[in-house]
């Protein structure tokens, strides 16, 4: 039997009638018998096109307030019969089941109803039964049946109808079946997640994947699954790469810690802050962030917690940077920043971020709650005889926020609302501290009166000793080592203030 099939009959039952008119008219033009029910049947009649009510086929009306309309052997038999199967052919004749070659159906808007804050009763009524069954049946029988399960495929179907005179190939039907199974699986995932309270079961379905130029390196494929346009308005620049997106993610999470602060500017490289400062103006914040490590800032990602004005943009424009992000830009600032044709300019919108973090691990996934705990003044526990000054407390919290968003093992040094230096991603906390001190010295920062933040406790007093000799006067760390007293004693003997947060901030 030929694999090419000609559409001679169609069942149409959709919630959203957008774009349907042209399809119905083309089907009628090609003498296709139309079956329908409810609102779709009325829609077709209003076009002046003949349509057979499903009730005439099943001899049953729509019942239970519309919950049962198409669920009947004569409908599903017409969809699921195998046209090369002798037994199926004989049963179709015996039970007077009409052949259905094309099914056009969509699903009740479950996700939109949930998002609208509707009552559970309304949400439950948007769990489609007939529609999902029709989709699965027609997709299963793609060898003989065409399934169109989304308005997104109307253009494809209309092209088949007009250019192929209603004929479809096996490959085309299989493609539409694949898309239909995606519709049904996405729908079922949304319903499951609405009901699910078991955190050991994970299901996700994202249907707006974006192909990237490549992955982390040119020989790797890369994709982004998410709603980038909901989070950002892109004003200028080239397409974002895999690495750009990772840096943008790190930048967004970091600046979120300073959302309510005075003008704050951060510069990131390879997911870590290489410069960050809080000042009375955005220009000053940028310049002091840049001073933290002007070498690493080259090719970095820049982000601000407030408007980037013309004066700040003029300074930024002297630096080669990949991405500039802010909640808003002055018009003149955009004009200036657009002078570099590849520079990406993003307006960040205030949207809710995911509460879970997911990464591949071995032959599966690791999932955890996002680290949404930010250290604050109220949660600090002074553990030394000397208490930090008000300025040191401000700097300790400042440094802790950066430390939380930096790769472990990490040490962050800060002073007067400015990131002086950090040691990132080291296998030893001592090495991280030495790296930070060396970096600070290379840019001629005076560490006298600076503070130190650590993402985890000190098992020995070596770090506080090294910090003391460098001029650091206050330390913030989570505490929790069985040898905490060794570090506390050293601080007491050398007039260093130390506070515990009780919260570790590992970031691997």
């Amino acid at each position: 039997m030929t694999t090419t099939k000609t559409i001679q009959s169609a069942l149409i039952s959709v919630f959203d009638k957008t774009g349907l008119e042209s399809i119905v008219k083309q089907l009628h033009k090609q003498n296709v018998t139309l079956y329908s029910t409810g609102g779709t049947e009325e829609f077709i009649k209003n076009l002046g096109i003949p349509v057979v009510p499903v009730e005439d086929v099943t001899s049953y009306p729509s019942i239970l307030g519309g919950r049962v309309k198409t669920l009947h052997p004569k409908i599903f038999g017409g969809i699921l019969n195998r046209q090369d199967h002798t037994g199926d052919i004989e049963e179709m004749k015996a039970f007077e089941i009409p052949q259905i070659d094309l099914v056009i159906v969509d699903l009740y808007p479950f996700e939109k109803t949930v998002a609208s804050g509707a009552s559970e009763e309304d949400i439950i009524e948007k769990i489609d039964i007939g529609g999902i069954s029709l989709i699965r049946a027609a997709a299963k029988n793609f060898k003989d049946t065409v399934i169109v399960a989304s308005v997104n495929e109307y253009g494809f179907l209309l092209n088949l109808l007009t250019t192929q005179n209603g004929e479809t190939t096996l490959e085309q039907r299989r493609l539409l079946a694949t898309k239909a199974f995606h519709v049904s699986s996405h729908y079922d995932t949304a319903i499951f997640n609405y009901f699910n309270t078991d955190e050991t079961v994970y299901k996700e379905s994202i249907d707006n994947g974006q192909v990237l130029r490549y992955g982390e390196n040119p020989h790797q494929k890369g994709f982004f699954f998410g709603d980038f346009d909901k989070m950002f308005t892109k004003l200028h620049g080239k397409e974002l790469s895999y690495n750009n997106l990772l840096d943008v993610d790190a930048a967004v999470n970091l600046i979120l810690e300073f959302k309510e602060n005075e003008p704050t500017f951060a510069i990131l490289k390879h997911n870590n802050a290489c410069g960050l400062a809080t000042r009375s103006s955005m220009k000053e914040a940028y310049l002091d962030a840049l001073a933290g490590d002007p070498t690493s800032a080259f090719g970095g990602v820049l982000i601000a917690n407030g408007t980037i004005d013309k004066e700040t943009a003029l300074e930024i424009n002297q630096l080669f940077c990949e991405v500039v992000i802010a909640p808003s830009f002055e018009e003149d600032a955009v004009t200036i920043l657009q002078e570099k044709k590849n520079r990406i300019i993003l307006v960040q919108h205030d949207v809710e971020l995911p509460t879970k973090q997911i990464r591949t691990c071995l032959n599966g996934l690791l999932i955890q709650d996002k680290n949404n705990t930010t250290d604050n003044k109220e949660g600090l526990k002074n553990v030394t005889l000397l208490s930090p000054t008000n300025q040191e407390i401000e700097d300790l919290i400042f440094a802790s926020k950066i430390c939380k968003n930096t790769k472990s093992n990490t040490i962050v040094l800060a002073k007067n609302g400015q990131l002086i230096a950090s040691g990132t991603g080291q296998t030893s906390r001592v090495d991280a501290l030495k790296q930070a001190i060396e970096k600070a010295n290379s840019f001629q920062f005076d560490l006298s009166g600076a503070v130190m933040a650590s993402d985890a406790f000190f098992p020995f007093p070596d770090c506080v000793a090294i910090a003391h000799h460098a001029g650091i006067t206050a330390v913030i760390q989570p505490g929790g080592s069985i040898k905490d007293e060794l570090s506390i004693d050293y601080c007491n003997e050398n007039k260093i203030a130390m506070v515990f947060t009780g919260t570790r901030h590992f970031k691997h």
Side-chain angles (χ1 to χ4, degrees), residues 191-387:
I191 295 170
F192 170 78
N193 285 333
Y194 172 75
F195 284 100
N196 183 43
T197 58
D198 184 355
E199 292 188 322
T200 66
V201 179
Y202 175 75
K203 294 182 188 292
E204 186 65 86
S205 176
I206 305 174
D207 59 2
N208 55 349
Q210 175 185 346
V211 179
L212 303 174
R213 294 198 304 273
Y214 50 81
E216 198 163 10
N217 298 290
H219 62 278
Q220 297 170 270
K221 291 182 180 180
F223 306 87
F224 173 69
F225 291 88
D227 192 348
F228 185 85
D229 293 338
K230 182 178 180 181
M231 191 160 184
F232 299 101
T233 297
K234 183 182 173 188
L235 302 180
H236 181 73
K238 62 184 179 180
E239 292 300 311
L240 279 89
S241 69
Y242 182 96
N243 292 331
N244 287 155
L245 289 169
L246 284 176
D247 283 331
V248 168
D249 177 69
V252 166
N253 285 308
L254 175 60
I255 208 68
L256 187 62
E257 307 281 352
F258 300 90
K259 185 177 181 180
E260 305 302 327
N261 286 57
E262 292 297 306
T264 300
F265 208 104
I267 305 173
L268 292 90
K269 197 75 171 287
H270 299 297
N271 304 170
N272 293 313
C274 58
L276 196 150
T278 297
R279 293 293 182 261
S280 58
S281 74
M282 197 59 75
K283 176 183 174 180
E284 290 176 320
Y286 167 72
L287 289 173
D288 283 351
L290 179 63
D293 187 345
T295 302
S296 296
F298 182 86
V301 170
L302 282 57
I303 189 165
N305 72 344
T307 302
I308 292 182
D309 53 25
K310 178 181 177 180
E311 291 72 21
T312 308
L314 286 168
E315 297 293 343
I316 293 172
N317 208 35
Q318 299 177 49
L319 174 73
F320 169 72
C321 57
E322 291 276 353
V323 187
V324 183
I325 311 166
S328 59
F329 294 80
E330 287 185 357
E331 187 174 342
D332 288 344
V334 174
T335 301
I336 292 166
L337 295 173
Q338 286 176 334
E339 290 178 7
K340 301 294 193 298
K341 69 175 183 178
N342 287 330
R343 180 184 285 148
I344 299 164
I345 306 172
L346 300 177
V347 177
Q348 182 183 348
H349 307 308
D350 190 9
V351 300
E352 186 176 348
L353 296 174
T355 59
K356 301 286 185 183
Q357 288 183 313
I358 304 164
R359 66 196 301 180
T360 58
C361 181
L362 302 176
N363 61 349
L365 300 175
L366 277 175
I367 302 176
Q368 67 171 350
D369 293 335
K370 199 169 182 179
N371 183 2
N372 287 325
T373 298
T374 298
D375 297 329
N376 55 57
K377 298 176 187 177
E378 293 73 26
L380 299 182
K381 179 183 178 183
N382 191 61
V383 295
T384 52
L385 297 175
L386 182 65
S387 297

